[in-house]
Amino acid sequence: MTTRISLLLATTGVVALSACVTSTGPEDPNRTRQGALIGAVGGAIAGATVDNDDRLKNAAIGAVVGGGVGATVGAYLDQQERELRAQLGTGIVIENTGSELIVRLPQDILFAVDSAAVQPGLRGDLQLLANSLNKYSASSVEIQGHTDNTGDAGYNQGLSQRRAQSVTSELIAYGVAPSRLRPVGYGESRPIADNLTDAGRAQNRRVQVVIRPTG
């Protein structure tokens, strides 16, 4: 009976958090509560799947602990997001999902056509980004290269990898530990807009720096 009550309380807390998150709208920059919800659900599931006689108790404990960890991650990302928004130049998009921070750099301002060399005008922003990564060091970072679907798919794949590596090299030059960075090229396989329009293709040509807290 006690374990069922504990699980009910934890589940009620998760539902309440869910209501709070969905009511904020996508424009709300504060994702602390969303991080708490993600952590609580994950913790409850992890606790419930332990193979012993106390699954309900473990689920309740997992929800509470996971919720606390998730809230901490959300607050960590909120602070880093606020600072980056105040520092980085126009044209750079920042998205906070509650569990990771995505910094989207349009390739049209990063690179010349058909080039993997970072343009001098963007190096200042990359240095500011590197400074942020060094300040908020409890994270792993995936640097993703993406293209539109114009031209040969194999060539686009290689170009996206070279561009991801170029941004990675810039971050390393500004002091970010190489062990935290993973460059990967996705070519044209992950569009975020319609490749049938010029505007859509421009959005798809991008490098994304995906920051995932690790502690």
Side-chain angles (χ1 to χ4, degrees):
M1 177 63 72
T2 302
T3 55
R4 286 192 176 90
I5 292 173
S6 298
L7 179 59
L8 177 61
L9 289 173
T11 305
T12 302
V14 171
V15 172
L17 279 169
S18 178
C20 290
V21 171
T22 54
S23 68
T24 59
E27 72 282 354
D28 186 350
N30 190 318
R31 298 290 184 243
T32 302
R33 289 173 295 177
Q34 186 171 345
L37 174 62
I38 294 169
V41 173
I45 293 171
T49 56
V50 175
D51 189 17
N52 58 39
D53 295 332
D54 292 324
R55 289 187 177 180
L56 292 175
K57 181 179 179 181
N58 289 334
I61 294 172
V64 173
V65 173
V69 171
T72 300
V73 168
Y76 186 88
L77 290 177
D78 284 345
Q79 181 62 31
Q80 188 173 14
E81 177 193 8
R82 282 192 292 271
E83 293 181 10
L84 284 173
R85 286 189 184 279
Q87 295 168 359
L88 297 182
T90 58
I92 297 175
V93 177
I94 301 173
E95 179 184 355
N96 186 343
T97 70
S99 60
E100 62 185 22
L101 202 60
I102 302 171
V103 180
R104 188 171 299 136
L105 307 162
Q107 288 193 3
D108 292 354
I109 63 175
L110 263 179
F111 305 102
V113 176
D114 206 27
S115 170
V118 175
Q119 304 223 60
L122 262 292
R123 289 201 172 113
D125 283 313
L126 290 179
Q127 183 170 12
L128 290 171
L129 177 57
N131 293 342
S132 176
L133 294 176
N134 288 329
K135 178 179 179 180
Y136 296 90
S137 58
S139 62
S140 63
V141 186
E142 182 174 275
I143 297 90
Q144 305 174 347
H146 300 270
T147 71
D148 61 24
N149 66 348
T150 303
D152 179 75
Y155 181 83
N156 288 339
Q157 173 64 38
L159 181 62
S160 69
Q161 181 67 46
R162 293 193 299 275
R163 287 177 165 178
Q165 185 60 60
S166 290
V167 172
T168 301
S169 297
E170 291 284 333
L171 296 176
I172 292 172
Y174 293 126
V176 182
S179 60
R180 295 176 57 201
L181 306 176
R182 177 177 176 260
V184 57
Y186 288 104
E188 60 190 57
S189 66
R190 295 189 177 186
I192 58 173
D194 192 345
N195 271 314
L196 296 178
T197 68
D198 289 341
R201 286 190 293 272
Q203 291 182 62
N204 292 332
R205 297 189 295 268
R206 68 200 189 278
V207 169
Q208 292 187 165
V209 178
V210 182
I211 304 166
R212 300 182 177 108
T214 56

